[in-house]
């Protein structure tokens, strides 16, 4: 507990300083900056084309699957962190267990690869005939 | 309770880091100019050294504009989160045996946690801007960052196995006989690629690729908020260079010169390398980027981990 406090205090202090600095800079700019208003300041920038509707659109999220994979794989690498730090203690038994674990991980990855889940173009572009 | 010395050191650290990142903007432009056989900014002060200061003063006097169509609180918070998340990671980087904010037992984990916070800033910025370019840029940034985050951690695990610690100063001290870049060369390369992708540096700057998305997630940002995003990117480059130095290149270790000089020299050469990458390489397509990460680098990182563990158990170094 004592050790944790010794480590934590400087980080909290550092956080406070950075927050004050960045917040301060933003505040100063708000005070110093002028207020301008042109005839199209209120429009979203779309390279000169008048915007059609706003950006709150139904968005076919190509990347949703990647988010799911991230949750799966990042969670699994968390267990590897625990293994790596206790590497000396768990020895050969731990190594074999981690090996099995990583193998399952790789099999899952190969499966995803084979069904084409990692392939954006295949899933989202029209079929080429 | 922190002592006065510590408070002063932390204040100095904050006061030095941000201007250094600003100087880096000038340094990169100068170096890029050199690589492309032109001068780069050379008018303000000797060799244009005050260029960043001039830019800062100008940007402070710009309209701090919040678009009327944007989500105000989120729009303001996003750049703040971005810069804060990167700055916080510096708290655990050991620059010399004494010069570090906190020599935490979980320094490596703290670094990984803070770098993953940065993704919130781009996603929130992209969404809050209510602009289609920004939305696309934010989504890309999210996919890219989370994809490369998976093996960023795994690439460091080899080092953790060799040194047996998450404490960054322990990792540096464990490299007294041999820098980890030699036994962990694969981990080094993978970490560097992941680092470039995480900090959205060229050639992996697809979330803000000018040619297709104008400015990506910060299309609607201007003035000081844009500057904070910009600062965050350069701080990110500094951070990745410092982490590579600490974890793979022996940190402050080196003969004759004082530790801090060695640390800064190594960091500076890595930064020069990053600038060279920007000058030399074209961007990949986005699907190529994601496929490279998932199909090749992730399995390679896992293999590196297994090989390291195997050698540590049965090999003899």
């Amino acid at each position: 507990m004592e050790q944790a406090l010794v480590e934590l205090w400087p980080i909290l202090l550092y956080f406070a300083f950075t927050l004050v600095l960045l917040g301060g800079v933003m505040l100063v700019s708000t005070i110093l900056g002028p207020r301008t208003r042109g005839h199209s300041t209120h429009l979203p920038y779309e390279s000169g084309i008048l915007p059609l509707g706003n950006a709150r659109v139904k968005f076919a999220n190509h990347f949703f699957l990647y988010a799911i994979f991230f949750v799966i794989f990042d969670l699994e690498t968390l267990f590897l962190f625990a293994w790596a730090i206790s590497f000396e203690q768990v020895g050969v038994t731990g190594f074999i267990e981690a090996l099995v674990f990583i193998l399952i991980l790789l099999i899952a990855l190969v499966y995803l690869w084979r069904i084409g889940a990692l392939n954006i173009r295949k899933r989202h572009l029209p079929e080429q005939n | 309770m922190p002592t006065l010395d510590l408070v002063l050191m932390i204040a100095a650290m904050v006061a030095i880091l941000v201007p250094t990142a600003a100087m880096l903007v000038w340094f990169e432009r100068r170096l890029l100019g050199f690589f492309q056989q032109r001068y780069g900014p050379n008018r303000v002060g000797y060799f244009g050294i005050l260029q960043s200061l001039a830019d800062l003063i100008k940007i402070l006097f710009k309209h701090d504009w919040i678009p009327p169509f944007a989500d105000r609180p989120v729009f303001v918070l996003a750049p703040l989160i971005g810069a804060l998340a990167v700055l916080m990671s510096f708290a655990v980087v050991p620059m010399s045996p004494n010069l570090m904010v906190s020599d935490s037992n979980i320094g490596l984990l703290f670094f990984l946690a803070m770098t993953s916070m940065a993704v919130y800033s781009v996603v929130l910025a992209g969404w809050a801007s209510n602009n289609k370019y920004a939305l696309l840029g934010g989504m890309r940034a999210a996919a890219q960052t989370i994809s490369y985050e998976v093996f960023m951690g795994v690439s460091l695990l080899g080092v953790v196995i060799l040194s047996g610690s998450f404490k960054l100063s322990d990792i540096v001290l464990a490299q007294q006989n041999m820098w980890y870049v030699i036994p962990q060369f694969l981990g080094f390369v993978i970490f560097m690629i992941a680092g470039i992708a995480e900090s959205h540096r060229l050639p992996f700057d697809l979330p803000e690729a000018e040619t297709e998305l104008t400015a990506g997630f910060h299309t609607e940002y201007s003035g000081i908020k844009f500057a904070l995003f910009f600062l965050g990117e350069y701080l990110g480059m500094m951070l990745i260079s410092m982490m590579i130095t600490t974890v793979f290149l022996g940190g402050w270790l080196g003969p004759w010169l004082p530790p801090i000089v060695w640390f800064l020299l190594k960091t500076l050469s890595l930064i020069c390398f990053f600038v060279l990458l920007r000058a030399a390489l074209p961007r990949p397509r986005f699907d190529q980027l994601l496929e490279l990460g998932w199909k090749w680098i992730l399995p390679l990182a896992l293999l590196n981990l297994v090989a390291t563990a195997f050698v540590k158990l049965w090999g003899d170094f």
Side-chain angles (χ1 to χ4, degrees):
Chain A
M1 190 61 205
E2 196 60 30
Q3 171 69 14
L5 273 183
V6 169
E7 285 172 4
L8 206 59
W9 258 114
I11 293 186
L12 284 179
L13 200 64
Y14 180 81
F15 178 71
F17 277 142
T18 43
L19 195 63
V20 167
L21 179 76
L22 297 179
V25 169
M26 281 174 92
L27 198 69
V28 166
S29 167
T30 312
I31 295 167
L32 290 182
R35 301 274 182 276
T36 54
R37 195 143 196 91
H39 68 279
S40 53
T41 358
H42 61 284
L43 290 176
Y45 177 74
E46 285 186 14
S47 303
I49 300 170
L50 284 178
L52 187 67
N54 66 5
R56 303 274 181 265
V57 285
K58 260 189 194 162
F59 186 63
N61 200 336
H62 304 227
F63 309 127
F64 176 67
L65 268 180
Y66 284 94
I68 298 286
F69 300 155
F70 168 72
V71 173
I72 298 169
F73 283 93
D74 210 46
L75 198 66
E76 291 182 357
T77 56
L78 275 184
F79 294 112
L80 292 177
F81 273 93
W83 166 61
I85 194 67
S86 58
F87 186 75
E88 294 289 342
Q89 288 95 314
V90 294
V92 179
T93 330
F95 175 68
I96 293 168
E97 281 171 7
L99 203 62
V100 172
F101 185 71
I102 291 174
L103 262 179
I104 296 173
L105 216 75
L106 283 177
I107 290 171
L109 190 66
V110 169
Y111 172 72
L112 290 177
W113 188 342
R114 290 289 298 150
I115 63 172
L118 297 177
N119 201 333
I120 294 189
R121 279 160 63 79
K122 201 179 263 174
R123 280 190 295 115
H124 290 282
L125 292 186
E127 291 290 327
Q128 307 266 321
N129 293 318
Chain B
M1 287 296 285
T3 59
L4 186 63
D5 278 0
L6 192 65
V7 174
L8 282 179
M9 195 191 72
I10 293 172
M13 190 91 134
V14 177
I16 289 171
L17 274 176
V18 174
T20 313
M23 283 293 292
L24 208 58
V25 178
W26 164 77
F27 180 74
E28 178 176 41
R29 289 175 65 191
R30 235 6 246 241
L31 208 58
L32 272 180
F34 171 72
F35 288 140
Q36 295 165 352
Q37 303 200 343
R38 55 190 175 81
Y39 284 117
N42 65 347
R43 293 306 166 97
V44 195
Y46 289 105
F47 307 108
I49 202 160
L50 295 178
Q51 182 66 46
S52 292
L53 185 67
D55 289 344
L56 177 74
I57 292 171
K58 181 182 172 184
I59 233 164
L60 273 180
F61 286 93
K62 287 287 177 188
H63 184 180
D64 188 28
W65 186 59
I66 301 170
F69 46 85
D71 189 316
R72 280 182 74 94
V74 183
F75 189 84
V76 175
L77 268 180
L80 200 61
I81 294 176
L84 259 180
V86 185
L87 267 172
M88 280 310 288
S89 310
F90 283 96
V92 290
V93 176
M95 301 196 185
S96 83
N98 304 316
L99 188 64
M100 60 188 110
V101 172
S102 173
D103 194 11
S104 175
N105 265 331
I106 50 159
L108 201 74
L109 297 182
F110 186 84
F111 159 76
L112 288 171
M114 284 300 139
T115 41
S116 31
M117 292 289 287
V119 72
Y120 284 109
S121 121
V122 280
V123 175
L124 290 180
W127 184 80
S129 297
N130 202 351
N131 175 309
K132 285 155 199 152
Y133 285 130
L135 181 69
L136 286 172
M139 286 301 160
R140 274 191 182 189
Q144 174 175 335
T145 318
I146 61 180
S147 294
Y148 278 69
E149 205 169 286
V150 174
F151 49 79
M152 189 179 210
V154 178
S155 67
L156 290 174
L157 280 182
V159 171
V160 173
I161 284 182
L162 288 183
S163 67
S165 176
F166 282 140
K167 195 174 181 172
L168 288 171
S169 59
D170 281 357
I171 292 178
V172 172
L173 289 175
Q175 300 179 61
Q176 255 155 356
N177 296 322
M178 194 202 304
W179 291 357
Y180 282 148
V181 64
I182 300 166
Q184 282 295 312
F185 186 72
L186 201 58
F188 166 74
V189 173
I190 292 171
F191 181 71
M192 187 181 259
I193 293 176
I196 297 170
E198 289 267 304
S199 55
H200 308 139
R201 288 282 310 167
L202 274 136
F204 296 150
D205 69 334
L206 291 130
E208 41 196 294
E210 296 94 338
T211 40
E212 32 194 302
L213 290 179
T214 57
F217 59 87
H218 58 60
T219 303
E220 287 295 342
Y221 280 85
S222 58
I224 196 72
K225 296 198 196 70
F226 168 74
L228 282 188
F229 275 122
F230 210 62
L231 192 76
E233 190 186 319
Y234 280 80
L235 280 169
M237 177 164 69
M238 248 164 86
L239 178 71
I240 293 301
S241 307
M242 284 183 172
M243 278 308 287
I244 294 176
T245 306
T246 308
V247 177
F248 293 103
L249 299 180
W252 68 72
L253 298 173
W256 308 306
L257 296 170
I260 181 76
V261 176
W262 271 113
F263 183 83
L264 292 179
L265 270 180
K266 290 171 188 171
T267 306
L268 191 66
S269 21
L270 279 170
I271 288 175
C272 291
F273 179 68
F274 280 131
V275 178
L276 177 64
L277 278 186
R278 173 172 179 177
L281 292 180
R283 284 190 194 105
R285 228 171 41 218
F286 193 67
D287 59 315
Q288 292 172 331
L289 178 81
L290 287 186
E291 280 171 29
L292 173 80
W294 284 100
K295 292 182 177 173
W296 302 107
I297 306 185
L298 179 61
L300 265 180
L302 287 170
L303 276 180
N304 176 51
L305 177 64
V306 171
T308 312
F310 186 82
V311 171
K312 170 93 172 177
L313 274 178
W314 288 292
D316 47 1
F317 63 55

